[in-house]
Amino acid sequence: MSDLEPSERRTTASVLLVVALLEAVVTVVAAIASELSWTRLIDLFVVSNAAIGLCLALSGWPIAYYRPRNLVGWSLLLGGCFYGSTATGLSLLAWLGEPSVPWRVFATVTNGGWSPALALFIPLALVLFPDGRLLSRHWRWVVGGLVVNTVIWTATGVLDPWGGLTAEIGIPGYPHWTGFEQIQVLGAISAVGLLGSFLAALVALVLRYRRGTEQVRRQVLWLLLALLIVVVCFGLETLVETESLVLGVLPLLLIPLAIAIAVLRHQLLDIRLVVSRSVLYLLLTGGVIVAYLALIALLDRTVRREVSLNSSVLATLVIALAFNPVRVWLQRLIHRAFYGARQDPVRAIAEVGAQIGSAAGLTGVLAALCRVMRFPAAAIVVNGNQLSAYGELPGARHAIELRSGDDRLGELVVGLRSGESRVNPADEQVLSLLAAPLAVAVQAKGLADELSESRERIISGREEERRRIRRDLHDGLGPVLTAVVLNADAARRLIETEPERTSALLAELRDQAIGAVEEIRRLVYDLRPPALDGLGLLGALREYAAMTSRRGDGVALTVTVDGPSSLDELPAAVEVAAYRIATEALTNVIRHSTATTAAVRLTVDTDVLRLGILDNGVNAGPEWRAGVGLNSMSERAAELGGLCEIRYDRTGCSVDVVLPLAQGARR
């Protein structure tokens, strides 16, 4: 196969699969037409050989078609064709055969048809499993032994002095000559060689299990179990020296079954999804065969023998009518096993939506998505960062945008199933439907994170404010009051003996008390400016503007304050925040800008207060950097759930603040 192009290899694989399927169909038709009983078909190995050949071909075709360089698929596919040829040949001979020369030649080919499958292709597939390569160069001797044993085994079937299996239906193969009775020795040699072939395959699988990765071990383990049963059964058949359907034939069905499990359950060679079609056609073919034979047997018992042809026609009509509904039902089951809820978006949305808002969070939502859609992994990416993930994303992946209106929140990234190179349109449709609730979950998590950060900032700011007040009281007001107490005690002791000294102490005491009062006023002003209570927000801002007539370098500065003629009572927290932000902005103008004018605008809408400060100055330094003052302005607005936008360029600075009144009222 190495000399063929990939397209030619796929064509060859498909042709071989068609051959195997035709063999199965011809076997069924010819077996029914031959009027052989079910027991007779079993005794002639027609049923078992047809089943084994079909299973081998269906297990090998996906590997040969999608991984043509892997010889495991070709071995299974060829083995299925050879095995099925014996069942087809026996059925045709029983139906149409005559003891003429052409039919005896055909009988000879039939007698040896299954030998290469059993002696070469099946053990070779086991030795090469799972990657299609030998364990080492030394195993070439094993392959050579398989070829030699195949020749001996085929010769045993063809040179059978009694004419082989075909002789039992009256058409012996060539050479039907009693002089070949010594060929029985070859039969014993080939039986031992066959047992040795499967033992060698068992050793190869054991070595692969010991040396392989965890994934390879899981794949090989199923085949090890199946092959162990086959070897034991072959050994028992050799010991009892009899041909047994249970011991010598049926165990071979375990090999393609184990390979199918390795492919489906452990994603052998990344073709798990491709095999779904093979499983469907295997089930359909087997079901048709069983149903057909069962109906024929039932009708033969209930109607007269003379109308057996009518029974066959009636059975065919019944199966034809039931075929499509059964196919649709099986297809639905297989699709659900391989693709999850691809064809059932309501189920996907229900299972994923049930996890939204649960304690598992977004990880639980992604886990539910992967479970219901059979994706290996999924992740939510926001601004290039992975917000949440489930599983490890493979190289093949697909992204769906998460949007809220016109806003892009992020992406839902899913890893494609093993064997897929692009997302299926049905999957994309389900993912698009799931994007809406996921976008809500992402937005809710973002808001929750912002709320948590805001709460942390508020708590941190409150603690900082407490620490500042404590420091001011301890370092400022505390020493002053201590000095007042000490001077009062000293004046009381000296009032009679040193009046002049007492008078000086009382004067100092008065100054200290005045300083304490000023310190208290400063603390009170920091907590809430008194001008707000006396003049209101607009009046307090105008009073502060009147005091800012010059910049820090002595240049004149004109500050204007515009606002509504009448201003309703505002929440205390909003008043303080607006006043502090405005005074901090004007302080920055005085200290750091080259502005000659500054304007403060104040407007009140139904539920928000808008504050704007605009100046015509530029930054005095080489470049502008946000400092503590600007950060505190943004933090004050964020504490109330508002916004503060600061834009600074060479034409001046503008500060736009929006404070919600209801939020401030609640605070």
Side-chain angles (χ1 to χ4, degrees), residues 105-127:
V105 173
F106 183 74
T108 303
V109 176
T110 299
N111 286 330
W114 61 285
S115 300
L118 184 61
L120 176 62
F121 293 118
I122 294 178
L124 180 62
L126 298 174
V127 170

Side-chain angles (χ1 to χ4, degrees), residues 360-372:
L362 287 178
T363 302
V365 174
L366 296 177
L369 172 63
C370 292
R371 182 178 64 253
V372 73

Side-chain angles (χ1 to χ4, degrees), residues 92-105 107 169-172:
L92 288 173
L93 287 168
W95 178 27
L96 303 172
E98 298 177 355
S100 60
V101 174
W103 282 108
R104 289 192 64 185
V105 173
I169 54 179
I171 307 176

Side-chain angles (χ1 to χ4, degrees), residues 205-223:
L205 289 175
V206 170
L207 292 176
R208 288 190 188 274
Y209 181 85
R210 293 184 59 184
R211 301 173 185 177
T213 62
E214 186 62 28
Q215 177 78 354
V216 172
R217 289 184 175 184
R218 287 197 298 267
Q219 295 166 355
V220 170
L221 192 58
W222 289 96
L223 208 51

